[in-house]
Amino acid sequence: MDGGAQRAAAAWENDTLAPMDRLRLERADSPTPGLVEGTEPGAGQSSAMFVHAHSFEDLTAEAEEEARRAAELDESGEQCEDELKVLVGEKSIKEKPKEEEEDVCSEAWRSHKKHVFVLSEAGKPIYTRYGSEEALSSTMGVMMALVSFVEAKKNIIRSIHADGCKVVFLTKSPLVLVGVSQTCQSDKELLRELQYIYYQIVSLLTLTQLNHIFQHKQNYDLRRLLAGSEYLTDNLLHRLERDPALLLSAVTCLPLPSSARDVVSSSLQAAKAKNLVFSILVAGDRLVSLVRKKDQFLHHIDLHLVFNLVGSSSSFREGEGWTPICLPKFSTAGFFHAHISYLEPASELCLILVSTEREDFFNMSDCKQRFLERLSKRSAYQSLKEALKCPTYAVEQVGIPELRHFLYKSKSSGLYTSPEFPVVYQSDKEQRRVMGLYQELHSSLHHPTRPLRIFYRCGETENLMAYVTNGFELYLCFSPLATKALAYSAVSKLLKWIRKEEDRLFILSPLTY
């Protein structure tokens, strides 16, 4: 075993929480599709910001200690409910009026392509995407009966396929999640979406609190604690259908000159505090900069949940928000506390400061002021404002006439880039259709038993190509007149363009405290 392999093995044996340092070859000027991970366009020059999916969870001593204290204190349901109201923002998130809920017996309810149900292991309804939980209580009871019947036979029910419909089950004690779909998504893709819903619920309550509730009362109605937070789950499901970030398990960045981004990152780095773990500056759903505590890594799922929280509530625009939030891929045991505020009332720039200390509001507020003071003295703030006027780019910049749209993900950095949709896909219906096509390509590339490396598909309205290597994933949408030979040559040309623009499109040198 060589020295690098020995160091990697030792890191796993010693339970190191940082991602492994991979062999980083000299970055090529003219990339080819066979690049290894760590050398592809968009790969970070230093350590990554995010942990890799399905690798490990980061549990700090502080979070474990907080979990032990939470377990020792028999917190009442009323206290948890008060914290949850702070989290979801009472002023901006309201319960769905009963008259707006669909009749579960109607044809409109049955015509939806995808349903999501959440219930407890006692069969109590917790959430449904469409209709009311009360009207579906008997249906959810049948679902739980199926799960229990199979478990009694020492087995696990994973999915049911019948008449073009998939029913996928995910049991995450003390919850059971069920997805019913008439789309082309694979079971694996549907399970990934159910995982997101599970993590959304855990982020509101923590797994410690969930287990505590159901250990004391198995038939507890969890809707009492989650009342008012339904819009968070609704909005997350909406994102799962339309946001490439959740499909690719990645995050996109605001296109910004690297010099300006470096100033923003260094300003965040300088505005640090003892209990500060993550400093995140976002513009809508686009990451501007992320500075983390050394040896602490954020999972992309946790960042997506933070984006969902900020995007679902307008109350954070009214001032400086202070809210408990569980980052379930970091630790399911307890809450962090996040200071959330916009740099200016009408701006899309939102600063999120994540602390381990519950009484740290004023320290985090001071960090924000120090960041703003440092940033306002530099020209980078003006560059940020200019970038917000054009937060994306046109596909025409690539210089491939037949190319309409693409998604490119750097595996080592966990970041992706994508142009704005062209005129032909401007309608919401067309964008949803294209995203559905990307989901089909993604399912084909990541099939659990027959994964593909290259996939090319001709259609009446567009031709599609998907390409995956050790270093990147690439999904391309061409005009229907494009040929397969052109598509292959376009891959190399596009990679060269991304390499040329990577300083602007990606965060190549993330900083730490």
Side-chain angles (χ1 to χ4, degrees):
M1 183 182 293
D2 60 28
Q6 288 177 340
R7 286 193 298 273
W12 279 111
E13 290 169 2
N14 296 330
D15 295 326
T16 299
L17 296 178
M20 299 301 170
D21 286 332
R22 293 175 177 78
L23 177 64
R24 292 189 176 272
L25 306 177
E26 188 173 327
R27 294 165 68 82
D29 292 329
S30 300
T32 61
L35 284 174
V36 298
E37 186 174 357
T39 64
E40 76 277 7
Q45 301 292 312
S46 56
S47 60
M49 292 183 293
F50 308 109
V51 300
H52 288 269
H54 314 301
S55 56
F56 49 79
E57 294 186 7
D58 192 356
L59 303 174
T60 64
E62 290 88 350
E64 290 174 342
E65 180 61 28
E66 184 178 347
R68 283 193 289 270
R69 291 199 303 267
E72 291 169 2
L73 296 172
D74 188 9
E75 295 182 331
S76 66
E78 287 76 14
Q79 288 175 317
C80 183
E81 189 170 6
D82 289 340
E83 282 203 317
L84 183 59
K85 287 178 179 178
V86 174
L87 178 62
V88 300
E90 288 182 290
K91 293 182 180 179
S92 60
I93 300 179
K94 303 175 182 177
E95 292 188 55
K96 288 184 288 186
K98 295 298 180 183
E99 60 270 16
E100 291 184 9
E101 292 177 345
E102 293 182 9
D103 181 359
V104 298
C105 297
S106 67
E107 192 61 36
W109 186 86
R110 296 175 183 273
S111 66
H112 290 296
K113 291 289 186 181
K114 191 186 297 181
H115 289 267
V116 173
F117 308 97
V118 183
L119 54 148
S120 70
E121 290 181 316
K124 280 274 189 180
I126 295 173
Y127 172 82
T128 177
R129 187 177 187 184
Y130 304 109
S132 70
E133 291 83 9
E134 291 87 353
L136 290 164
S137 58
S138 59
T139 302
M140 294 194 192
V142 172
M143 293 174 180
M144 193 61 232
L146 286 171
V147 173
S148 301
F149 176 79
V150 175
E151 284 182 348
K153 301 292 184 181
K154 308 296 183 184
N155 213 324
I156 300 173
I157 186 168
R158 300 193 183 278
S159 65
I160 300 172
H161 293 224
D163 197 23
C165 183
K166 299 185 187 76
V167 183
V168 178
F169 297 83
L170 175 64
T171 302
K172 301 284 283 187
S173 183
L175 305 180
V176 176
L177 300 94
V178 183
V180 181
S181 173
Q182 299 180 61
T183 67
C184 295
Q185 288 177 278
S186 66
D187 291 4
K188 185 178 178 181
E189 293 287 335
L190 294 171
L191 278 173
R192 179 183 60 84
E193 295 185 359
L194 293 179
Q195 284 274 12
Y196 264 101
I197 302 306
Y198 168 73
Y199 286 130
Q200 176 64 71
I201 295 173
V202 171
S203 76
L204 295 171
L205 299 172
T206 76
L207 186 57
T208 300
Q209 179 70 15
L210 270 176
N211 288 331
H212 177 79
I213 290 169
F214 286 104
Q215 282 169 5
H216 284 74
K217 191 176 181 181
Q218 288 186 343
N219 63 343
Y220 182 81
D221 188 351
L222 197 63
R223 288 176 296 169
R224 188 169 78 86
L225 288 182
L226 295 176
S229 68
E230 296 90 348
Y231 272 37
L232 286 171
T233 309
D234 291 344
N235 198 45
L236 182 60
L237 284 166
H238 179 83
R239 287 169 180 262
L240 283 164
E241 290 181 349
R242 300 164 187 253
D243 190 347
L246 281 74
L247 173 68
L248 298 175
S249 301
V251 178
T252 189
C253 296
L254 178 73
L256 188 68
S258 59
S259 57
R261 199 186 306 274
D262 289 344
V263 170
V264 173
S265 298
S266 62
S267 299
L268 284 175
Q269 185 187 44
K272 62 183 179 179
K274 177 183 177 182
N275 300 311
L276 185 59
V277 185
F278 301 110
S279 299
I280 309 166
L281 184 65
V282 301
D285 290 337
R286 296 177 179 273
L287 182 65
V288 179
S289 180
L290 189 155
V291 181
R292 58 180 175 81
K293 198 168 186 177
K294 193 175 182 180
D295 296 330
Q296 305 302 330
F297 294 84
L298 194 62
H299 198 283
H300 63 270
I301 289 179
D302 289 336
L303 190 54
H304 291 158
L305 294 176
V306 171
F307 280 170
N308 188 51
L309 171 64
V310 174
S312 299
S313 177
S314 60
S315 63
F316 296 119
R317 288 191 174 276
E318 298 174 6
E320 297 180 57
W322 184 243
T323 178
I325 182 171
C326 174
L327 301 178
K329 293 298 287 184
F330 191 99
S331 170
T332 59
F335 285 113
F336 286 97
H337 289 80
H339 181 282
I340 303 174
S341 61
Y342 286 83
L343 301 193
E344 296 177 6
S347 174
E348 286 298 309
L349 291 170
C350 182
L351 180 62
I352 304 146
L353 303 173
V354 181
S355 170
T356 58
E357 179 56 49
R358 182 174 184 172
E359 305 298 331
D360 223 12
F361 171 81
F362 293 106
N363 285 336
M364 295 301 102
S365 183
D366 179 63
C367 288
K368 177 195 174 181
Q369 292 306 316
R370 284 189 283 134
F371 166 69
L372 281 175
E373 288 171 8
R374 188 180 179 90
L375 189 63
S376 60
K377 295 177 182 177
R378 313 287 187 89
S379 59
Y381 198 11
Q382 189 57 40
S383 299
L384 262 178
K385 293 179 179 179
E386 290 297 322
L388 288 174
K389 296 177 182 178
C390 186
T392 184
Y393 56 92
V395 70
E396 287 78 13
Q397 294 182 25
V398 181
I400 305 174
E402 296 82 2
L403 182 63
R404 289 182 174 178
H405 194 259
F406 68 87
L407 303 175
Y408 170 86
K409 174 190 172 181
S410 162
K411 287 187 175 181
S412 62
S413 68
L415 300 172
Y416 85 95
T417 186
S418 175
E420 63 186 359
F421 279 103
V423 176
V424 68
Y425 300 131
Q426 280 300 302
S427 70
D428 182 69
K429 180 180 179 181
E430 281 297 294
Q431 290 180 15
R432 290 183 65 181
R433 185 180 67 82
V434 173
M435 276 304 303
L437 295 174
Y438 282 146
Q439 287 175 342
E440 290 180 30
L441 292 178
H442 189 271
S443 295
S444 298
L445 290 186
H446 298 278
H447 194 280
T449 57
R450 301 184 303 278
L452 301 176
R453 191 168 70 91
I454 303 174
F455 187 90
Y456 186 82
R457 169 180 167 180
C458 293
E460 293 182 2
T461 53
E462 57 270 311
N463 294 346
L464 299 160
M465 183 177 182
Y467 203 138
V468 61
T469 72
N470 292 333
F472 65 83
E473 289 183 33
L474 182 60
Y475 304 84
L476 306 104
C477 178
F478 296 94
S479 76
L481 300 179
T483 63
K484 186 186 292 187
L486 184 146
Y488 273 89
S489 64
V491 169
S492 180
K493 188 171 183 179
L494 176 59
L495 289 174
K496 290 179 181 179
W497 181 85
I498 295 173
R499 171 71 84 204
K500 185 180 71 172
E501 298 289 332
E502 65 179 355
D503 286 346
R504 183 173 66 95
L505 301 178
F506 298 93
I507 300 175
L508 300 181
S509 301
L511 300 182
T512 61
Y513 304 124

